[in-house]
Amino acid sequence: MTLLLQWIEHYGLAAVFLNVLLEQAGLPLPAYPTLVVAGSVADAGRLSTPLLVLVSVAAALTADLGWYYAGRRHGQKLMALLCRISLSPDSCIRQTRNLFNRWGPHALLAAKFIPGFASLAAALAGKSGIRLPVFLLFDGIGSLLWVGSAVLLGAGFSSDIAWLLHTLEQVGTGGLLLIVVVLASYGLARWWRRRRFARSLRAQRITVEELHGLLQQQEQPLVIDVRAPELQREGRIPGALLVAGKLSRGEAAAAQLAREVIVYCACPDEASAAQVARMLMKTGVGRVRPLLGGIDAWRQAGYPVEAD
């Protein structure tokens, strides 16, 4: 009998509540496998299925409410923090914002099925000013769908889950430890590559004062705005080339012809700018520099912006 099954059978619903709460709070402790195993245990009559669902949904809502109020109170600062600690730079935040712009609070219905999306979605819901009753309605339904699917999966495949748990038990602690080490090494490798590349660009960053000076010269650099389209419409550096996602062939060709390319975004450490800089370097563009502080630093310095 595996440690997970022992943990659920010994601590019951409290173990499930804690796992769901911690995962939805942002810790890397996957709760879906726990819910599936708990569903299997409930199907065997050792847990109450209605209570299992109720406790799990309550745990998810508790964590999401924390993110909701944090997003309402701290807004952009919280988004910046999430961007900074994410293994995938602010692309995840950009995708979250795009989903909200398209679907509104309905995006909460699917948030928990997308890795890394749930906490961002709850925080963005608070930042966007979605009313609490509306948030609770859609987030509650989304949580119920997420929990219910796991519990039903556990109940429907209880015999297969029992076989899987027995197989894992036969693998032993050493085998499980090896799996954990492999997954941890993968995450660490991604983090290290991102950090090493960010360091290599950090020495090359250009300040807003330097960029403003270059824009006054006859031979101006090519400035590329890589923020989400809705943010670009709020205002951009005059003359900036607007790029959403990957560069087109025409945009890449324009960058290759430019004497110097300046890339900016609105994320700490210029994460998106660094990604685009990497893509440009791979296409042969030699002089690429991220803008230190991005558009926020440009605005704070009092320099002009243009909008549609």
Side-chain angles (χ1 to χ4, degrees):
M1 188 173 293
T2 65
L3 180 62
L4 176 59
L5 185 56
Q6 289 178 337
W7 189 56
I8 292 174
E9 291 192 330
H10 183 72
Y11 295 103
L13 297 176
V16 178
F17 180 90
L18 182 62
N19 194 175
V20 173
L21 179 67
L22 292 177
E23 188 213 30
Q24 296 303 304
L27 295 181
L29 299 171
Y32 204 83
T34 299
L35 290 171
V36 171
V37 173
S40 176
V41 173
D43 183 65
R46 300 195 294 274
L47 281 179
S48 167
T49 299
L51 279 179
L52 171 61
V53 173
L54 180 62
V55 165
S56 303
V57 170
L61 281 175
T62 300
D64 290 346
L65 275 172
W67 285 115
Y68 173 84
Y69 281 113
R72 170 172 285 188
R73 183 170 182 177
H74 300 289
Q76 189 58 38
K77 289 183 179 179
L78 178 63
M79 291 292 133
L81 174 63
L82 292 173
C83 178
R84 182 177 288 112
I85 64 179
S86 174
L87 284 178
S88 301
D90 62 335
S91 59
C92 55
I93 296 178
R94 183 168 57 250
Q95 292 165 2
T96 305
R97 188 180 284 112
N98 289 342
L99 282 174
F100 258 87
N101 289 338
R102 184 174 182 181
W103 301 107
H106 292 84
L108 293 166
L109 298 176
K112 288 182 171 45
F113 292 95
I114 306 174
F117 183 49
S119 56
L120 286 170
L124 190 57
K127 180 180 180 294
S128 304
I130 293 176
R131 294 186 299 112
L132 180 60
V134 176
F135 170 76
L136 288 175
L137 173 63
F138 286 99
D139 193 62
I141 295 175
S143 298
L144 181 61
L145 292 173
W146 179 67
V147 170
S149 67
V151 172
L152 287 175
L153 189 64
F157 294 91
S158 57
S159 58
D160 298 291
I161 291 172
W163 171 82
L164 176 61
L165 293 176
H166 176 72
T167 302
L168 291 175
E169 184 179 9
Q170 298 303 311
V171 170
T173 304
L176 294 177
L177 182 60
L178 178 61
I179 295 174
V180 172
V181 169
V182 170
L183 293 176
S185 299
Y186 170 75
L188 183 61
R190 287 193 62 187
W191 172 82
W192 177 250
R193 284 197 300 269
R194 175 185 168 185
R195 182 177 178 84
R196 185 176 59 181
F197 184 74
R199 281 184 173 179
S200 69
L201 285 179
R202 191 167 293 129
Q204 305 176 37
R205 292 184 298 186
I206 184 173
T207 66
V208 293
E209 292 80 12
E210 291 172 326
L211 175 58
H212 184 259
L214 289 177
L215 292 176
Q216 309 309 309
Q217 299 177 8
Q218 183 175 1
E219 189 175 354
Q220 299 180 357
L222 175 64
V223 181
I224 300 180
D225 185 327
V226 296
R227 295 173 298 154
E230 66 274 10
L231 294 179
Q232 293 172 344
R233 289 190 291 268
E234 294 176 359
R236 57 187 179 272
I237 295 175
L241 175 66
L242 305 183
V243 173
K246 295 184 178 179
L247 277 74
S248 66
R249 289 185 178 179
E251 292 165 344
Q256 290 175 343
L257 294 174
R259 177 175 63 90
E260 184 173 11
V261 178
I262 309 300
V263 188
Y264 74 89
C265 59
C267 189
D269 299 324
E270 297 77 53
S272 287
Q275 280 190 325
V276 174
R278 179 186 297 174
M279 287 190 293
L280 288 171
M281 289 176 180
K282 287 182 178 179
T283 64
V285 179
R287 185 65 166 167
V288 185
R289 291 198 283 174
L291 178 62
L292 179 62
I295 188 65
D296 294 332
W298 180 268
R299 285 196 178 103
Q300 290 169 7
Y303 297 131
V305 295
E306 62 181 14
D308 294 334

